[in-house]
Amino acid sequence: MSTETAQAPVKAAEPLLSKRRRKFISDPLVDNNPITIQVLGICSALAVTTQLQPTLVMAISVIFVMVMANLTISLLRNAIPSRVRIIVQLAVIASLVTLVNEVLKAFAFDMYKELSVFVGLIITNCIVMGRLEAFALGNKPYDSILDGFGSALGYAWIILAVAFFRELFGSGSVFGVQIYDAISGLFGEGFSLATNGLMVSPVGAFIILGLIIWVQRTKTGYVEH
Amino acid sequence: MQQSNAYIITFSVILTVVLGLLLSGTSQVLGPIQKKAVELDTKKQILGAVLEASELRKMSAEEILDYYEKRITSKVVDIDGNLIEKDADGNPIVAENVNVAKNYKMAPEKRQFPMFIFHKEGNPDAAEAFIVQVYGAGLWDEIWGFLALDIDLNTIAGVTFGHKGETPGLGARITEAGVQNRFQGKQIYDDAGSFQSVVMQKGEGRDFSDDLHKVDGISGSTITANGVNNMLRNYLQFYSAYFEKLRSQAGSTDLALVN
C-alpha cells in the first residue's frame, strides 16, 4: 500500500500552506479542473444547475463529502486491504452521502425535496472516487484534505458559473431575485426581457459548459491528447 | 503489503459495523426533526392551495403552523361522502397523516380521502374554501397536490402540485406558481351541473381565459400534464359524493352543517 507519490518527501517543518500545498487547491481550479479538463462529474452539472440556490447546496455537499472521504481514506490508508480498497472507498462515500441527505432532510426540507436524487448521485461522482484512488490512498491526512477541498472547489465554481447563466437567462433571476422584472420596472413596460426556455433544459447546461471549456482552453492553451 | 483473508474479513466487518452505527445513530438523532419538517411541508402545501406562494414564503415555520391551526379544520371522508373518524382498530384517523400513496394502491371504495376546510378569518364557523388532496402518476414518478374549491364547490380557488421526479424545466414546472395560478377561477362543473373537471392543454402560450374548463399547458411536458389531468379528474370524482352532501345542505358555509 506504500504507493509514494512523485512529490518530494514532506519536511517536518513544512508551513501549513506551503507552495506545494497551495497547488493542491489552486491546480484543480483551472489547470486541472475536474469538470472542464478531466471532464468528470458532468451529469450533476447538468441536472442541478437550473437555479443557483440548489446548486450552492450541491456544491457544499460535494465539498463536505470529498474532504471527509479523503480524510477518512487517508487516515485508514495503511490499514485498508488493497484487494477490497474500492469497496471500502465506496462504503465511506456512500455513508457520507447518506449523512448529508439526512441532514438536508432535517434542516433544509425544501432543498432535500429538490436535490435528494442528485445528492444521492454524488456516490457515483467520479471526481470523489478518483481523488480517493489517486491521492488519499498514498498521502497524509492534511494533504488529502487540501486535495479534496481543491478538487471540490474546482467542481463547485464551475457548476455555480453554469447555474448563474442558466438561472439568469432561463428564469430571469439570480438566487431567486427577479432581475428581468427589475429591469422592466426600471425602463417601463415597453422594455421587457423574455426568458429563454432552452437554458432551463439540460441543453442549456451543455451550451454554457461548452463555452466555459472553450474560453478556458483558449486562455490556457490546453490541448487534449 | 500482503494481507491475509482473515485480516480482510475482520477489516470489512469492523468497517461495516462502524459505518452502520454512524448512520443509524444519525437517523435516530435526526428522526424527530425530520418528522417535523415533513409535517410542516405538508401543511405548507395545504395552505399553498389558498395562499399566494410569495405570502407563504414570508412566513416563518411557527407562523405557518399557527396560521394552519387557526384557519384549517381537517376531516376524512370515504367515497360515499361519509365522514370516517376511526380506522378498523378504533384508532382515530388524522387527515394530515393519511398516506395517499398507500391509499392509491387500494380500491377507491376502501380509500380515505382527506378534506381540509379553510375558515373565514376570525369566524371559525364559516368556511372560505374546501381543500382536497389529489394524487397520481406523472411521466417518471408520482405527482400529488392540493386543490382548493370556493364555497360554491365549483370554482377553483387555487392549487399546489408536487412531484418526485418530473423533468426539471419541463414537467417539474407544475410546481411553479406561474403554472399553478393558471388554474385559479376555472370551474369543474359546467352550467348544467355535470362534471367536466379541468384539463391542461397540450402546448403553451394560448389564451384560455374564456374557457372555464381548459388550462394553458406546459410546452414539452404533455405526459406530465396528462398525469395532472387524470389525477384531478379521478380525485374530484372520488370527492363528489361528499360535495353533493355539502351542497344539499343549504348554506354549506356553515361548518355546523358540514359535520
Side-chain angles (χ1 to χ4, degrees), chain A residues 1 47 50 76 78-84 88 91-92 95 98-99 102-103 105-107 109-110 113 117-118 200-202, chain B residues 1 3-5 7-8 11-12 15 19 22-23 26-27 30 33-34 37-38 41 44-45 144 163-164 167-170 173:
Chain A
M1 258 346 295
T50 45
L76 293 173
N78 295 322
I80 296 173
S82 56
R83 272 188 282 165
V84 292
V88 171
V92 169
S95 306
T98 313
L99 210 66
E102 292 287 300
V103 170
K105 190 176 178 186
F107 299 108
F109 195 77
D110 289 337
K113 277 202 299 187
V117 181
F118 306 118
V200 185
S201 77
Chain B
M1 195 191 304
Q3 280 140 338
S4 64
N5 286 343
Y7 177 80
I8 293 176
F11 183 89
S12 309
L15 185 80
L19 292 180
L22 177 78
L23 289 182
T26 314
S27 153
L30 295 179
I33 308 173
Q34 291 173 347
V38 173
D41 186 65
K44 250 198 225 159
Q45 286 187 50
W144 59 86
H163 70 92
K164 193 167 171 194
T167 320
L170 297 172
R173 285 182 56 210

Side-chain angles (χ1 to χ4, degrees), chain B residues 182-255:
Chain B
R182 296 175 192 172
F183 284 84
Q184 258 171 28
K186 300 289 172 184
Q187 298 194 337
I188 56 173
Y189 296 94
D190 62 16
D191 291 341
S194 63
F195 181 72
Q196 294 289 333
S197 190
V198 274
V199 181
M200 213 176 205
Q201 301 295 306
K202 195 179 160 84
E204 188 162 7
R206 281 177 293 167
D207 182 19
F208 290 105
S209 54
D210 55 346
D211 195 318
L212 284 172
H213 308 294
K214 285 185 182 161
V215 172
D216 192 18
I218 305 170
S219 162
S221 54
T222 308
I223 301 179
T224 306
N226 287 346
V228 169
N229 295 340
N230 291 337
M231 158 171 100
L232 292 179
R233 187 178 311 108
N234 290 341
Y235 272 81
L236 288 171
Q237 275 173 325
F238 293 148
Y239 281 101
S240 61
Y242 182 65
F243 292 163
E244 212 49 58
K245 257 186 197 169
L246 287 178
R247 214 175 281 124
S248 68
Q249 298 160 334
S252 61
T253 55
D254 191 344
L255 282 190

Side-chain angles (χ1 to χ4, degrees), chain B residues 91-217:
Chain B
N91 300 319
I93 297 173
V94 181
E96 286 82 0
N97 297 345
V98 170
N99 185 337
V100 268
K102 212 167 136 196
N103 267 278
Y104 193 68
K105 296 194 180 103
M106 296 192 273
E109 295 76 35
K110 289 187 182 156
R111 291 186 205 169
Q112 301 165 344
F113 300 107
M115 181 81 206
F116 305 92
I117 297 159
F118 184 61
H119 304 293
K120 280 211 170 97
E121 180 136 38
N123 184 0
D125 291 328
E128 193 173 314
F130 297 91
I131 304 167
V132 298
Q133 190 166 9
V134 295
Y135 182 89
L139 169 59
W140 303 113
D141 214 316
E142 53 181 358
I143 52 176
W144 59 86
F146 293 92
L147 181 136
L149 291 171
D150 278 342
I151 45 167
D152 63 358
L153 291 167
N154 186 13
T155 313
I156 295 173
V159 291
T160 39
F161 292 127
H163 70 92
K164 193 167 171 194
E166 298 308 292
T167 320
L170 297 172
R173 285 182 56 210
I174 55 171
T175 56
E176 284 178 10
V179 173
Q180 292 173 1
N181 287 345
R182 296 175 192 172
F183 284 84
Q184 258 171 28
K186 300 289 172 184
Q187 298 194 337
I188 56 173
Y189 296 94
D190 62 16
D191 291 341
S194 63
F195 181 72
Q196 294 289 333
S197 190
V198 274
V199 181
M200 213 176 205
Q201 301 295 306
K202 195 179 160 84
E204 188 162 7
R206 281 177 293 167
D207 182 19
F208 290 105
S209 54
D210 55 346
D211 195 318
L212 284 172
H213 308 294
K214 285 185 182 161
V215 172
D216 192 18

Side-chain angles (χ1 to χ4, degrees), chain A residues 74-167:
Chain A
S74 177
L75 284 172
L76 293 173
R77 70 189 186 282
N78 295 322
I80 296 173
S82 56
R83 272 188 282 165
V84 292
R85 66 181 196 284
I86 301 282
I87 293 184
V88 171
Q89 290 166 14
L90 259 184
V92 169
I93 299 170
S95 306
L96 286 167
V97 168
T98 313
L99 210 66
V100 170
N101 225 1
E102 292 287 300
V103 170
L104 280 183
K105 190 176 178 186
F107 299 108
F109 195 77
D110 289 337
M111 280 294 133
Y112 167 80
K113 277 202 299 187
E114 204 166 327
L115 276 179
S116 76
V117 181
F118 306 118
V119 168
L121 283 175
I122 296 176
I123 298 172
T124 59
N125 193 327
C126 312
I127 304 172
V128 188
M129 203 137 141
R131 290 329 292 166
L132 296 186
E133 186 71 9
F135 198 91
L137 272 174
N139 286 281
K140 292 203 168 146
Y142 180 63
D143 289 351
S144 301
I145 291 178
L146 292 181
D147 179 76
F149 184 68
S151 287
L153 219 56
Y155 169 85
W157 87 258
I158 295 285
I159 61 168
L160 282 168
V162 173
F164 172 79
F165 290 112
R166 283 183 78 187
E167 189 181 341

Side-chain angles (χ1 to χ4, degrees), chain A residues 1-58:
Chain A
M1 258 346 295
S2 53
T3 42
E4 277 294 301
T5 50
Q7 312 282 357
V10 185
K11 285 180 212 109
E14 192 182 353
L16 272 184
L17 282 174
S18 62
K19 201 175 166 206
R20 183 182 71 91
R21 286 175 166 160
R22 277 203 303 271
K23 268 183 92 68
F24 292 150
I25 296 182
S26 62
D27 242 19
L29 293 185
V30 180
D31 292 341
N32 201 14
N33 190 284
I35 295 187
T36 59
I37 305 294
Q38 299 167 17
V39 199
L40 297 175
I42 296 288
C43 320
S44 57
L46 301 183
V48 300
T49 52
T50 45
Q51 305 269 318
L52 267 166
Q53 213 182 350
T55 310
L56 185 65
V57 175
M58 182 72 176

